[in-house]
Amino acid sequence: MNGYITRKLSLVAAAAAIALGVTAGAATAANADGEPDVPVGTRLAAKAHPAVQLTSLTYSGQVVVPTPEIKQSALQALARQAATAAITGKIAQDERNIAKYIFQKMAANPNAYLRAVGPNRSVDAEVGGLCTGWWVTPDGYMVTGAHCVETGEEQLGQMFAQQALAKFNKEDAAAVLQELGDYQTDEEIVKLATQIFVTFNNTHLKIQGLQKQLSVLQSLPGGGVDKTAKPVPAELVSVGESYPGKDFALLKVNNQQNLPTVPLGDDGDVQTGDTLYISGFPGLVTNTPFFSLESKLDPALTEGPYNAKRTTQTGVPYIQTQAPAYHGNSGGPVFSRQGKVIGMLIAGSVTDGGENTESQTFVLPVSVIKEKLNEKNVKPSQALTSTRYSEALDDFFRHHYSLALPKFREVQALFPNHPYVAKYISDSQQAISSGKDETPSSTLPWILVGGGAVVVVVLAAVVILSLGRKRRRAAAPPVPAGFAAAPPWQPVPGPYGPAGPQHELAGPPYHAPQGYPAQHGAPPRPPYGGQQQNAGDERQLADLERELAELRRRLQDRPSEH
């Protein structure tokens, strides 16, 4: 094989190697793309939080309490008892200790020393609480805890008393201290006197015109929440028994579509030792005056290990976890690391002082949630809003901003009230304009250009080789039909074997035109191994080399993969 052919084949081989390298590199990058390289909690929070909403339970009514009146005979008997205690040395004989003794006895049993008389006093009041809920269908079904949607009568009375009666309690305590007159008072005595009327008024409290409202605080169009946002009424569809029962409630918000949802998993998705993730609105944030409303309405994500599976005395299963949770987290979804709901946060243990402990938080398993949804024929599902948003977030976390941006815009078009998508659109645009986009599709034009160059190179090589073959074949006269090609100047085999001495040389398959003698044999050709080429061959070879050089340059200049 001459050097000319060798050079052409070498160029074709180099082009093929580059093409294979481009293809292999693209395949490797595609195969390496799994979950984005971000912490599990970051990914879960971003994907789940749009479906996690702050729920509100509000009771309003008129709180009515009677006017207290001291039973003089009972108070006089108590005063004599205090004097005897002082004389016998049971208490000190100063006025302060005698007054303290009297108020301690009254606070222990207010109704023994006070009676309810008219006129009644009233005040309008509103009480309630905040919990966490989460969408399970795009058309407005929401899951939360049973204790988040209703309050027992005794607890409700305590809530109204605490909110509405402080003024009355303070006024009543001041009146009785004034009536006792000469007794020396201090802060401790005032507290004891106030406690007398806290207990008395709570006991005689009545609520008139009680109204209950359940609502969900949704974001404003374009995303975000501020003080202009209004709660959206929610209908109570189903409610179970509060903890330690099946603490489940189902709400429905009407006229909804394309709501973001979270997918449900199975009890078997997690086991002891796995990390659990809780999303919700801790009361230590929502009830504090130090944070802005906007920041209060961002869910918080906490995590901790799955400690054990428990069962109540009535047979209700619960998961014990050390993932921190607080008042307000109740009703919030609990996730596996794969991002599926495996339960709902319901309760936590408290110390004797009423403080939450992080060692015992209890989660209602997802199997119970599915059971309750099935009872109401509610089928959890995801809208295109959720799937597109999830895809966009994966692209965003990979820094593939050009891919993420149109998907975020699609989410915004599907659900204009989406609380976070507007910020992601802005961040994606900023990243693209700042040159931070690492979208793999930006390398596609280079791959296509490179692939086109390879095709051109290969085609050029094939054409050149074909031309070379045609020139060589033109050196020998064509072979008649039915005969195989033979080397120049060799006998042509016949159909039954080699031809005899009267053989015919390879000649044209047609007769020479009249006037021209038939030509036997082939035109002269260069000696074997000669390098004779025409100028066209050199130009084609040079073009081939230039194509290959250009391909190498473009591939070197293409954006790097990350």
Side-chain angles (χ1 to χ4, degrees), residues 436-468:
K436 298 178 180 178
D437 188 20
E438 300 176 10
T439 301
S441 61
S442 64
T443 68
L444 183 58
W446 295 105
I447 294 173
L448 292 177
V449 168
V454 170
V455 171
V456 170
V457 170
V458 172
L459 289 177
V462 171
V463 169
I464 293 171
L465 290 173
S466 298
L467 289 174

Side-chain angles (χ1 to χ4, degrees), residues 246 248 317 365-377:
K246 293 181 179 180
F248 167 92
V366 70
S367 57
V368 178
I369 296 171
K370 289 180 176 180
E371 169 195 324
K372 291 295 185 180
L373 290 173
N374 190 55
E375 288 177 0
K376 293 299 179 179
N377 199 31

Side-chain angles (χ1 to χ4, degrees), residues 29-342:
N31 292 335
D33 274 339
E35 289 293 344
D37 187 18
V38 295
V40 173
T42 301
R43 174 171 52 83
L44 284 181
K47 292 188 176 185
H49 282 178
V52 180
Q53 302 287 306
L54 189 67
T55 66
S56 173
L57 170 63
T58 304
Y59 290 95
S60 59
Q62 190 175 60
V63 178
V64 179
V65 291
T67 300
E69 182 181 75
I70 294 178
K71 298 178 181 179
Q72 292 297 331
S73 59
L75 183 60
Q76 291 174 3
L78 180 58
R80 290 193 294 269
Q81 183 180 345
T84 300
I87 293 171
T88 58
K90 292 182 179 179
I91 60 173
Q93 296 184 8
D94 58 278
E95 291 183 352
R96 180 186 178 282
N97 280 285
I98 293 174
K100 181 179 177 181
Y101 180 90
I102 291 174
F103 285 127
Q104 284 176 333
K105 293 293 185 180
M106 292 181 69
N109 187 9
N111 289 321
Y113 305 98
L114 300 173
R115 65 169 64 92
V117 297
N120 287 338
R121 301 167 293 172
S122 64
V123 60
D124 292 332
E126 186 177 275
V127 299
L130 301 174
C131 275
T132 302
W134 38 286
W135 303 114
V136 289
T137 66
D139 60 348
Y141 280 101
M142 171 175 281
V143 168
T144 188
H147 69 277
C148 294
V149 300
E150 61 182 14
T151 304
E153 184 176 347
E154 182 179 352
Q155 183 181 0
L156 185 61
Q158 294 173 353
M159 292 168 64
F160 270 111
Q162 184 177 7
Q163 196 271 342
L165 298 182
K167 177 183 177 182
F168 295 151
N169 296 336
K170 186 176 181 179
E171 291 174 350
D172 293 343
V176 76
L177 288 172
Q178 184 177 6
E179 188 171 338
L180 291 176
D182 296 336
Y183 285 102
Q184 180 182 354
T185 60
D186 57 18
E187 183 178 357
E188 184 180 12
I189 299 298
V190 172
K191 285 183 178 180
L192 285 170
T194 302
Q195 185 58 46
I196 294 170
F197 294 99
V198 167
T199 305
F200 177 82
N201 288 330
N202 285 4
T203 303
H204 294 84
L205 173 147
K206 292 183 179 180
I207 304 171
Q208 297 178 348
L210 182 64
Q211 293 184 342
K212 171 185 173 181
Q213 182 178 10
L214 287 167
S215 58
V216 176
L217 194 58
Q218 288 185 283
S219 58
L220 298 171
V225 179
D226 61 23
K227 59 186 177 182
T228 65
K230 295 182 180 180
V232 180
E235 172 192 351
L236 181 59
V237 178
S238 173
V239 61
E241 299 178 3
S242 294
Y243 180 80
K246 293 181 179 180
D247 202 321
F248 167 92
L250 181 64
L251 305 179
K252 178 66 167 69
V253 178
N254 294 321
N255 302 316
Q256 301 296 311
Q257 61 180 357
N258 292 326
L259 289 170
T261 59
V262 288
L264 301 189
D266 296 302
D267 289 2
D269 292 346
V270 289
Q271 58 187 346
T272 302
D274 287 342
T275 299
L276 304 183
Y277 302 84
I278 298 175
S279 178
F281 299 89
L284 57 84
V285 173
T286 54
N287 295 330
T288 181
F290 305 118
F291 300 110
S292 67
L293 178 62
E294 292 86 348
S295 65
K296 288 181 181 181
L297 297 177
D298 268 342
L301 187 79
T302 60
E303 63 181 77
Y306 181 134
N307 295 130
K309 186 174 182 179
R310 308 295 184 189
T311 305
T312 67
Q313 293 182 352
T314 57
V316 180
Y318 274 93
I319 297 170
Q320 179 184 336
T321 176
Q322 284 179 283
Y326 308 90
H327 295 294
N329 277 117
S330 292
V334 181
F335 297 92
S336 66
R337 67 178 292 112
Q338 287 73 34
K340 293 187 176 183
V341 176
I342 55 85

Side-chain angles (χ1 to χ4, degrees), residues 364-430:
L364 187 69
V366 70
S367 57
V368 178
I369 296 171
K370 289 180 176 180
E371 169 195 324
K372 291 295 185 180
L373 290 173
N374 190 55
E375 288 177 0
K376 293 299 179 179
N377 199 31
V378 173
K379 307 298 182 184
S381 61
Q382 285 192 286
L384 186 60
T385 306
S386 298
T387 55
R388 281 290 183 272
Y389 188 65
S390 179
E391 293 169 3
L393 286 173
D394 286 342
D395 291 331
F396 183 87
F397 288 134
R398 294 186 184 108
H399 304 163
H400 300 171
Y401 303 112
S402 293
L403 287 178
L405 185 57
K407 296 174 185 176
F408 283 134
R409 285 175 173 156
E410 183 179 359
V411 170
Q412 190 175 50
L414 288 167
F415 185 54
N417 287 1
H418 197 288
Y420 306 111
V421 73
K423 180 67 165 55
Y424 279 114
I425 290 174
S426 175
D427 289 349
S428 297
Q429 291 171 330
Q430 180 63 36

